Structures are given as C-alpha cells and as structure tokens.
Amino acid sequence: MRARLLEATVDCLVERGFAGTTTTLVSERAGVSRGAQLHHFPTKNDLVVAAVEHVTMVRADELRAAVAGVPSGERRTRQVLQVLADHVTSPAFTAALELWVAARTDPTLLAAVAPLEKRVGRETHRLTVEALGADEEVPGIRELVQATLDLVRGLGLADTVTDDRRRRARILDRWAEVLDERLGVAG
Amino acid sequence: MRARLLEATVDCLVERGFAGTTTTLVSERAGVSRGAQLHHFPTKNDLVVAAVEHVTMVRADELRAAVAGVPSGERRTRQVLQVLADHVTSPAFTAALELWVAARTDPTLLAAVAPLEKRVGRETHRLTVEALGADEEVPGIRELVQATLDLVRGLGLADTVTDDRRRRARILDRWAEVLDERLGVAG
DNA sequence: AAACAAACAGTCAAGCCTGACTTTTTCTGC
DNA sequence: GCAGAAAAAGTCAGGCTTGACTGTTTGTTT
C-alpha cells in the first residue's frame, strides 16, 4: 500500500514534475483511495519526500550492485563513471531534481530534504571512493571524487533539457583518463 | 515597461520558483497593469522565456566583462573558474534552472527553451575556451572544457540545496591544477 | 481640433488543487 | 458471533490562478 503510493508518486514526479503531481492523481494511479493516502501521508510534502527517499534507497542498492559487477582492469574507471552517468539519467535522479528545485523555495520541504540529501551525498561519496579505489589520504584526491560527482550531476541536469548521449560519453571518456592518471599517482 | 516586467519575473522565479510565479504577482511587482502585461506577453510561458532570455543576455555581458578583467598569469585559470562559479550561483542561473525543470514536463515551454539553451551553451563554451586559452585543435581539450562547464553546472545545482562555498572552492582549486597541466601540454 | 488606433487598467468567471469531513468496509479481540 | 476500532472510500468546500472581457487613457494622423 505504502509502496504503491510511493512508486506512483515517483512516476508522477518524473512525468509531470512537482507542480503537476497532485495528491489526487497519485491516489488514482496507485489505486488507493484519497482517504487512505491521507492516512499514510497527511500532506503532499510528506508524500513526495517519502517517495524520493524510497526511490533513493532502492537506487542505492542498484548502484552498489552495479559497481560490484564491474570487473577490475583497464577500463574499470570508465565503467564506474558509466554507472554514475546511468544513475543521473534515471527516474530516481529526475525525481530528486524535481524535489531539489521545489525545496529551494519551500522552507518546509527544504527542512525535510536537506538532511536526506546530506545522508545520500555522504553515502554516494563513500561508494564512489570505494568503486574507484581512490586513496583519500592523498591530498586532492577527495576533491577529485567530489568533482566527479558534481560533474555527473551537471551532466544529469543537462540531460533533462537536451539528451545528448554521445557528448556525455566523450566527456566521460576524457574524465576517466584524468582520473586514472591522478588516482594512481600521488596528487 | 518590458524591462520592468522581465526583471520582476526573474525576481519571482528566484524567490518563489516557477510554480510560485504568477502573472498577477509579476504585474504587481513590476508596477504594470494586468492588461499591459497581457499585451506584451500573452501567456505565462511567453513571459518567463523572455525573462530568462533577457537575464541570460545581460549575464553574458557581465561574464565577458569579468573574464576580460582577469589578469593573465599564474592563477588565471583558477580565477576564470571562479567567474564561472559565480555565474552558477547567480540569480540568472537560478532562474534558468527553474525554467529547465519546468520545461522538462511542459512541451510548449520546452519548444521555446531548447533553442535558447543551445545558443547560450555554444556561446558560453566559446567564451570559456577563449578565457582559458584552450587549443581545441588538441584532441581531448574540447571535452575538458565541456566537462568544466558541466562541473560548474553541477556545483550550481548543489548550491541551491546546500550552500557550501568552501567545498566549492577546494574542488575548483583542484580542478584548476588539472586544467593548467592539461591545457598547456598536448592532451 | 477631432477621430481613430493602440496601449493600458480593472474586473471576473471558470477551472483546479488541497485537505477536511462523513460513510462504509474490514479486521481483530472477546 | 458480535462489537469496536482502524483503514479505506467518496464527497465537498475553500482558496487560488489564469486569461478573457470591458472600459479608459494616450498619442498620432488628418
């Protein structure tokens, strides 16, 4: 019941955006009555925050699994970048983007989103460090990993307006080269 | 008259977001009558697209001026990055972000935003190449510049949720080092 | 000077979203 | 088997936004 509501909410966020996501629409999509929905999530904000948290957790597991499946070797860095790139073009990222932008001008929503984002950010960073085999003790390496995450975020944002997969691929190819060179040696 | 409307629209976008920007509110802020507004911009979409186009053009001039003011020398690359970082934390970027996200789920808006974004993207790229003194003939350099722009976009997005200036600064410090090394020598 | 066109100002009704209220159903405990 | 509580379903009113309509002013041309 809860799960159905959350998934319907994410679908709505992706398809119609935050403003276009009405609680009525979600309840209809989820096949859940208006009252039942209101019972679980009293307000729209409660619903969307829970939905993004839910999809983020699911997505985190997928990310871990994808990273675990990447073989070590020559092109590992590039493939890890691909996993990240796939993430920022996924519905989970799109839904989160809608939430970020909405939260920017809604204090109530921001109060709920900020801590969630902090947790997710830390976890993603940790995962990326591990996946890349980066040694954060080396000065500058931590910043490169952060830059990598901000880069893919930027690519994800650009993707929502103009989907140019080949451009993304070329940029990531190049980025992987930089990373490979920098991660191996002392920064 | 038009200018007042456009600037009031940008202010509203920044303060209240796309959904919170009502045509009524804009006309009140601009001190322009409802009918006058409707005369210049028949629909809300017309208004916001024109507003973002306007602020983008103004901002482009400021960017050019800022870049022109950066002295050549040791820390030029870092300072150019700072100009870009300042841009993605400016109201112009925030307003554009609102527009991108809104356009994602509004075909009419997307039709108007896409070509604008293409033009602006090209122009920004050109400006950055020039500012960094990058030689695009060298393979891989073009992708590095694109990566730089996507990186700052990502930083700008992160800034809307959690404003962490020091984190940004460290990342840009590091990236400037990488760029300096890469731009000088053949990629 | 007068008439016409264009820009401007104010009002308003239709449509929609949100969240509260009331009724019905289902499940649990006695 | 029954009673009560919890969950679910449906309905509805209040509030808000949008863009259309009507009246007024200003400027220009003859």
Side-chain angles (χ1 to χ4, degrees):
Chain A
M1 172 78 52
R2 264 182 70 99
R4 277 220 310 279
L5 277 170
L6 296 177
E7 271 152 41
T9 305
V10 172
D11 289 347
C12 278
L13 281 175
V14 172
E15 275 182 36
R16 308 197 161 206
F18 183 85
T21 297
T22 69
T23 54
T24 310
L25 190 65
V26 169
S27 61
E28 279 173 10
R29 285 224 184 180
V32 167
S33 76
R34 193 100 185 71
Q37 178 193 43
L38 233 72
H39 174 74
H40 287 292
F41 307 101
T43 69
K44 181 183 175 181
N45 280 0
D46 292 334
L47 178 64
V48 292
V49 170
V52 169
E53 181 160 12
H54 170 73
V55 75
T56 300
M57 294 311 165
V58 171
R59 188 71 199 160
D61 290 338
E62 290 176 17
L63 229 65
R64 267 186 286 273
V67 165
V70 174
S72 61
E74 186 65 18
R75 297 184 48 74
R76 177 175 170 90
T77 299
R78 179 60 183 84
Q79 287 184 277
V80 170
L81 288 184
Q82 192 57 49
V83 170
L84 292 175
D86 290 343
H87 171 63
V88 297
T89 53
S90 74
F93 180 84
T94 305
L97 176 60
E98 290 286 339
L99 201 58
W100 293 334
V101 172
R104 192 182 65 80
T105 53
D106 182 338
T108 309
L109 197 54
L110 187 59
V113 170
L116 171 63
E117 209 45 42
K118 206 165 183 172
R119 269 194 298 135
V120 172
R122 275 191 219 287
E123 181 60 17
T124 309
H125 183 85
R126 222 180 49 73
L127 180 71
T128 308
V129 167
E130 209 177 302
L132 291 174
D135 181 5
E136 288 201 301
E137 297 295 312
V138 178
I141 291 298
R142 182 180 178 76
E143 284 72 22
L144 267 190
V145 174
Q146 289 181 324
T148 301
L149 291 173
D150 282 311
L151 169 64
V152 293
R153 234 196 299 275
L155 289 174
L157 176 57
D159 179 66
T160 64
V161 182
T162 51
D163 181 9
D164 192 340
R165 198 162 304 183
R166 240 183 302 173
R167 171 177 168 281
R168 263 205 313 278
R170 279 199 302 269
I171 292 174
L172 291 178
D173 285 344
R174 190 80 179 108
W175 192 267
E177 287 178 29
V178 173
L179 279 182
D180 273 331
E181 185 172 302
R182 294 277 163 171
L183 291 179
V185 302
Chain B
M1 170 76 53
R2 264 183 69 99
R4 276 219 311 280
L5 277 171
L6 295 179
E7 271 153 40
T9 304
V10 171
D11 289 347
C12 278
L13 281 175
V14 172
E15 276 182 35
R16 310 197 159 206
F18 184 85
T21 298
T22 68
T23 55
T24 310
L25 190 67
V26 169
S27 61
E28 278 171 11
R29 285 224 184 179
V32 167
S33 77
R34 193 103 184 67
Q37 179 193 42
L38 231 73
H39 174 74
H40 286 295
F41 306 101
T43 70
K44 181 184 177 184
N45 280 1
D46 292 334
L47 179 64
V48 293
V49 170
V52 170
E53 181 160 13
H54 170 73
V55 76
T56 300
M57 293 310 164
V58 170
R59 188 70 198 161
D61 290 339
E62 290 175 19
L63 229 67
R64 266 187 286 273
V67 165
V70 174
S72 60
E74 187 66 18
R75 296 184 48 73
R76 177 175 170 90
T77 299
R78 179 62 182 83
Q79 287 185 276
V80 169
L81 288 184
Q82 191 57 50
V83 170
L84 291 177
D86 290 343
H87 172 62
V88 296
T89 53
S90 74
F93 180 82
T94 305
L97 176 60
E98 289 287 340
L99 201 59
W100 292 334
V101 172
R104 190 182 67 80
T105 52
D106 182 338
T108 309
L109 198 53
L110 186 60
V113 170
L116 171 63
E117 210 44 43
K118 205 163 183 175
R119 270 194 298 136
V120 171
R122 274 191 220 286
E123 181 60 17
T124 310
H125 183 87
R126 221 178 50 72
L127 180 71
T128 309
V129 167
E130 209 176 304
L132 291 174
D135 181 4
E136 288 201 301
E137 296 297 312
V138 178
I141 292 296
R142 181 181 178 77
E143 283 72 23
L144 270 188
V145 173
Q146 289 182 323
T148 302
L149 291 173
D150 283 310
L151 169 62
V152 294
R153 232 196 300 275
L155 289 174
L157 177 56
D159 179 68
T160 65
V161 182
T162 52
D163 182 6
D164 191 339
R165 197 160 305 183
R166 242 183 300 173
R167 173 177 167 281
R168 261 207 311 280
R170 279 199 302 269
I171 292 173
L172 292 177
D173 286 344
R174 189 77 180 111
W175 186 240
E177 289 177 27
V178 174
L179 276 182
D180 272 333
E181 187 171 302
R182 291 274 165 171
L183 292 179
V185 301

